Amino acid sequence: MKKRIPMPALILTLVLCGLAVGAAWAETLYVQRTKVDIKQGRGAYYPTVFSAQKGDALEVIGQEGGWYQVKTPKGPGWVFGQALAPQKAQSASPLASLVGKADTSELDKTAGFKGFDRPTEEAYVSKNNLQAQIQIVDRLQQPPFTLAELESFQKMGLVGPMGGSR
Amino acid sequence: MKARLVIIFMVWLGLAFLASSCASVGDSISRDPMAALQSAARIGEAAVKASQEITQDQEIYLGRSVSARLLAKYPLLNDPQLHKYVNLVGAGVAMVSDRPDLPFHFAVLDTDEVNAFAAPGGFVFITRGMLKSVKDEEELAAVLAHEVGHVCAKHSLKSIKGELWKQVAVITAQEGAKHGGVDPRLLDLFGQATDGVLDTLMNVGYTQPMEYEADRLGQTYATRAGYDPGALRRFASYMQQREQGQDKSLNAWLGTHPTFTARLKQLPAPEKRALAPEVIKLRTNRFRTAVRR
């Protein structure tokens, strides 16, 4: 004798499945790096919309080619997947593995610096008389093209993410 | 029922043990943090591996200092149009590389030497001599993609001894208790790391497996970016002829790289792809305009 599934139970099951799918889509990912720049487009050359810190939770609203579109207080932006994980960040500081402590965020806050940083570089530059050269490096870090020029160059030559095989 | 009680008791016992272990680690650190850090610093291979991790920001600071040292040896070519063009081509391959979120910067060095360098953090330098050796935008993209490959695989960072990262980690941890100033030991390590990378780039060279890996990655990125997949092979074949003709301008390059003959043997067969003639023509024209030949 066949048992018929009651209609209310069937509807409830479908609703629950729908909710589960919705929950999976509205995924939350956590920043794993000390700082990550969330970009206007899928690439490092796009303007930064918002800078998130390690441990920040980001709600995913889209995904394309290894990049995640996420919500930020300044509007939606794109962040590369390698900077995110489904779990909240464990401290990337080497200190964590050295002392066997899972989260060193409190220690990080009290630290005067975290390894190689701006003050270390400044001291090195001063010691080695590299002031003129580091100014050139500063200029090199400014892209010599506008975003429109980059997009036009790639579109016309069919190169890069806009024109390539990917 | 009895079995269930036993399982609950064992889980409870396990949790209690875990809690007491954590408390004892925390206590020992708070009682004598320096001793705990120093003893932990000797915990062996796992710690060394962990301390080799470097954040992107730290990698960029190291790359900046290496670049400054390179610029102390080679002046930058003063040609804004060429600088822009090389950056546009480089950006195309960098955006489809394995580190598309790293802002790469490309620059031309004013020297006849045939060479190219990849500093940590995405700083790529190509010499005027190398620019004269590439025939078109396809080959330029292939050469830049090879350098992007070195950065993506973090070859220059791997050339620094693991012991140095371990010392950085320990000093950073010790500095946690202090405020302000740069620890002279850290400054010394920063100098050692910069020297180490520079020595690899200019004197010692990467290992042969690293060069072959950068070739493979470069060919992949250039292909992904829509360039001629066979361009790196074409460039390497041309350079092989110059190498066999004992071209002296290649001396610096060959001092730090495997021969092109060896590299050609290792390079995978490129993907077959026919590019539209009008696209090739456009790319060639803009290459000629920028490089002014």
Side-chain angles (χ1 to χ4, degrees):
Chain A
M1 187 180 155
K2 278 186 180 176
K3 274 189 181 177
R4 294 184 66 185
I5 302 168
M7 189 54 78
L10 191 64
I11 291 169
L12 186 67
T13 308
L14 288 172
V15 168
L16 287 174
C17 285
L19 285 174
V21 169
W25 176 246
E27 188 183 5
T28 297
L29 295 175
Y30 296 89
V31 176
Q32 303 296 304
R33 293 183 185 158
T34 314
K35 189 193 89 172
V36 67
D37 289 335
I38 297 167
K39 298 286 182 174
Q40 213 172 68
R42 295 187 306 278
Y45 300 96
Y46 286 91
T48 299
V49 174
F50 182 75
S51 290
Q53 309 296 317
K54 185 154 76 180
D56 284 353
L58 297 172
E59 189 183 329
V60 177
I61 52 176
Q63 191 184 352
E64 200 168 329
W67 291 80
Y68 287 88
Q69 192 178 28
V70 296
K71 282 185 181 173
T72 82
K74 300 276 174 71
W78 292 89
V79 56
F80 194 54
Q82 277 179 5
L84 307 174
Q87 296 85 27
K88 194 159 186 174
Q90 299 277 300
S91 175
S93 161
L95 177 61
S97 59
L98 291 175
V99 300
K101 194 169 159 54
D103 185 356
T104 59
S105 53
E106 287 307 308
L107 283 168
D108 282 351
K109 279 177 198 166
T110 60
F113 53 78
K114 305 177 191 73
F116 297 161
D117 60 1
R118 174 79 59 186
T120 317
E121 181 198 278
E122 283 171 356
Y124 179 79
V125 165
S126 170
K127 187 180 170 189
N128 292 280
N129 295 318
L130 291 168
Q131 289 88 346
Q133 287 77 19
I134 210 73
Q135 281 177 14
I136 300 173
V137 175
D138 285 338
R139 287 202 298 274
L140 289 182
Q141 286 188 283
Q142 305 301 317
F145 49 73
T146 64
L147 198 55
E149 285 173 327
L150 177 66
E151 288 178 352
S152 164
F153 184 89
Q154 296 188 342
K155 198 173 175 181
M156 287 174 70
L158 296 180
V159 292
M162 297 174 77
S165 61
R166 222 165 61 152
Chain B
M1 186 66 187
K2 200 172 176 182
R4 190 181 290 173
L5 278 172
V6 169
I7 290 168
I8 291 169
F9 176 70
M10 285 176 75
V11 169
W12 177 83
L13 202 65
L15 287 171
F17 175 72
L18 202 64
S20 68
S21 306
C22 291
S24 74
V25 169
D27 285 350
S28 70
I29 290 167
S30 61
R31 271 198 300 272
D32 191 350
M34 295 306 292
L37 286 169
Q38 282 162 358
S39 95
R42 290 190 289 271
I43 62 177
E45 199 64 30
V48 172
K49 194 179 172 191
S51 62
Q52 283 173 328
E53 289 170 13
I54 179 169
T55 65
Q56 189 162 294
D57 281 352
Q58 293 193 62
E59 185 187 343
I60 291 171
Y61 281 119
L62 188 58
R64 282 169 54 84
S65 69
V66 170
S67 301
R69 292 280 300 278
L70 265 176
L71 290 166
K73 180 171 167 62
Y74 300 106
L76 211 59
L77 184 70
N78 184 18
D79 186 339
Q81 279 303 107
L82 181 61
H83 179 64
K84 181 193 262 190
Y85 174 72
V86 169
N87 271 276
L88 285 165
V89 175
V93 290
M95 287 175 81
V96 296
S97 74
D98 294 315
R99 297 183 74 183
D101 57 335
L102 181 67
F104 277 80
H105 311 286
F106 302 85
V108 183
L109 300 173
D110 193 3
T111 169
D112 284 328
E113 264 181 42
V114 179
N115 219 333
F117 307 100
F123 296 90
V124 173
F125 297 89
I126 180 169
T127 64
R128 185 165 42 76
M130 176 63 92
L131 264 180
K132 280 184 185 168
S133 302
V134 293
K135 286 195 178 70
D136 51 28
E137 188 171 307
E138 315 299 318
E139 291 187 7
L140 173 60
V143 169
L144 297 178
H146 169 93
E147 300 304 324
V148 169
H150 277 307
V151 176
C152 288
K154 299 189 177 179
H155 286 158
S156 56
L157 297 179
K158 287 173 187 167
S159 68
I160 299 169
K161 287 178 183 167
E163 183 62 27
L164 188 144
W165 297 129
K166 187 176 159 187
Q167 288 179 44
V168 171
V170 172
I171 291 169
T172 304
Q174 290 171 346
E175 280 297 312
K178 301 177 187 173
H179 287 279
V182 176
D183 188 309
R185 294 167 301 168
L186 195 72
L187 179 59
D188 184 47
L189 291 170
F190 188 74
Q192 283 183 40
T194 304
D195 287 347
V197 173
L198 207 64
D199 194 39
T200 299
L201 296 184
M202 299 183 68
N203 304 318
V204 184
Y206 293 117
T207 63
Q208 291 199 357
M210 284 178 177
E211 288 296 345
Y212 301 147
E213 186 182 20
D215 276 345
R216 284 194 301 276
L217 290 172
Q219 185 166 279
T220 301
Y221 300 157
T223 305
R224 269 187 208 164
Y227 284 108
D228 175 8
L232 184 60
R233 179 167 289 274
R234 185 154 46 88
F235 170 74
S237 300
Y238 165 66
M239 296 300 275
Q240 184 188 29
Q241 288 172 16
R242 285 176 63 178
E243 177 181 280
Q244 287 167 348
Q246 299 187 336
D247 184 335
K248 284 181 183 169
S249 66
L250 299 183
N251 284 353
W253 172 271
L254 291 172
T256 54
H257 288 77
T259 62
F260 283 101
T261 306
R263 289 171 68 177
L264 276 164
K265 277 184 191 163
Q266 296 288 331
L267 194 63
E271 180 187 304
K272 283 184 181 157
R273 180 195 292 168
L275 295 167
E278 62 273 19
V279 172
I280 296 283
K281 191 178 170 189
L282 181 142
R283 293 179 191 169
T284 305
N285 284 343
R286 66 189 186 186
F287 174 82
R288 284 185 183 148
T289 305
V291 184
R292 296 195 187 103
R293 354 191 111 187

